[in-house]
Amino acid sequence: MENTDYIKEVLITHEEIVSYCKRLAIEIEDTFSEEEEIILLCVLKGSLPFTAELLPNFKRPNVICEFIRASSYEGKTSESKGVIDISCNTLEIIEGKTIIILEDILDTGKTLEAIKGYLMAKGAKEVKVATLLDKPERRIVDIYADYVGFTIPNHFVIGFGLDYDEKYRNLKDIVIPYPEKL
Ligand code: PRP
C-alpha cells in the first residue's frame, strides 16, 4: 500500500491546481491579442508539472513553450544557496518578445530576479511571471508575480514539482510533510 505517513497536511489539492490552471490560461489569453504569440518559459525542474497542466488549456495555436534551467537549492536542504545557476538553449525566441516565466514557487525571489535579469540582458521586451505558489513571508528580493495561484504561509512544501532531495515531485497534491519522515 502507498505510504503517506510523511504527509502532515494536504495544503493544495490536485483538483484546486487543475482548476487554477484553467482560469490562468483564460486570464493570460485575455491579456494578449489573438495575433500575439504567448511565450511560456518553464523553469526546470520544479515547474514542469505546472507547465504540463497549464499548456493544454490554451485555446489558440500560437502558444510557444520553452525551457530554462535554474537551480538555487543544494541537495537535501530547503535553504537557498544564494547562487543561481541558469542555462537556456533557446535564446533566439527571447529577443524583442514578451516572455511569461512559469514558476512553481516564488520564495526568496532570488531565482526570479536572476532569470528576469538574464532574459532582459538577452533582449526580451517584457518579462511577466506566473507562479503557482507564492510564499511572501520568505521574500528577500523586492519582486512579485503578475499571476499568483496560491499564496501560502512559510511552511516547507513538496509535491506537484516541488522536491525534497529530488524526490516527491510526482505527488499530485502539494503537501506539508513531517520533515523527519522524509
Ligand atoms: C526552486 C523553485 C524556484 C526557486 C524559488 O527551484 O522551483 O525556481 O527554488 O526559490 P527562490 O525564490 O528562493 O529563489 P530549485 O532551485 O530548488 O530547483 P528545482 O526547480 O530544480 O527544484
Side-chain angles (χ1 to χ4, degrees), residues 55-169:
L55 195 57
N57 288 305
F58 288 95
K59 304 269 187 289
R60 50 209 261 179
N62 52 349
V63 179
I64 292 169
C65 183
E66 297 288 353
F67 297 86
I68 193 167
R69 175 85 181 99
S71 183
S72 67
Y73 292 174
E74 197 167 24
K76 292 184 179 179
T77 126
S78 59
E79 292 303 313
S80 176
K81 277 187 291 182
V83 179
I84 317 293
D85 183 36
I86 295 180
S87 58
C88 183
N89 296 325
T90 52
L91 292 175
E92 65 276 7
I93 63 133
I94 292 169
E95 214 175 324
K97 301 283 178 58
T98 297
I99 312 288
I100 303 177
I101 297 172
L102 298 182
E103 266 289 24
D104 53 344
I105 188 163
L106 176 50
D107 195 358
T108 66
K110 287 180 181 175
T111 303
L112 200 50
E113 181 187 47
I115 296 174
K116 274 186 121 174
Y118 177 89
L119 295 175
M120 292 310 286
K122 299 291 181 191
K125 185 175 83 177
E126 187 185 9
V127 179
K128 294 186 176 226
V129 179
T131 189
L132 184 60
L133 304 179
D134 188 5
K135 214 193 255 186
E137 282 173 54
R138 290 259 304 164
R139 202 80 89 250
I140 290 171
V141 179
D142 184 19
I143 204 161
Y144 64 93
D146 301 86
Y147 310 95
V148 175
F150 305 89
T151 300
I152 63 167
N154 188 13
H155 292 299
F156 177 57
V157 289
I158 53 172
F160 204 74
L162 294 146
D163 74 307
Y164 173 75
D165 192 22
E166 294 300 326
K167 297 187 276 278
Y168 303 95
R169 295 191 198 271

Side-chain angles (χ1 to χ4, degrees), residues 163-178:
D163 74 307
Y164 173 75
D165 192 22
E166 294 300 326
K167 297 187 276 278
Y168 303 95
R169 295 191 198 271
N170 54 302
L171 304 182
K172 287 188 171 179
D173 303 321
I174 292 170
V175 309
I176 301 172
Y178 291 109

Side-chain angles (χ1 to χ4, degrees), residues 45-62:
K45 302 173 193 173
S47 304
L48 188 61
F50 176 35
T51 304
E53 187 59 49
L54 176 67
L55 195 57
N57 288 305
F58 288 95
K59 304 269 187 289
R60 50 209 261 179
N62 52 349

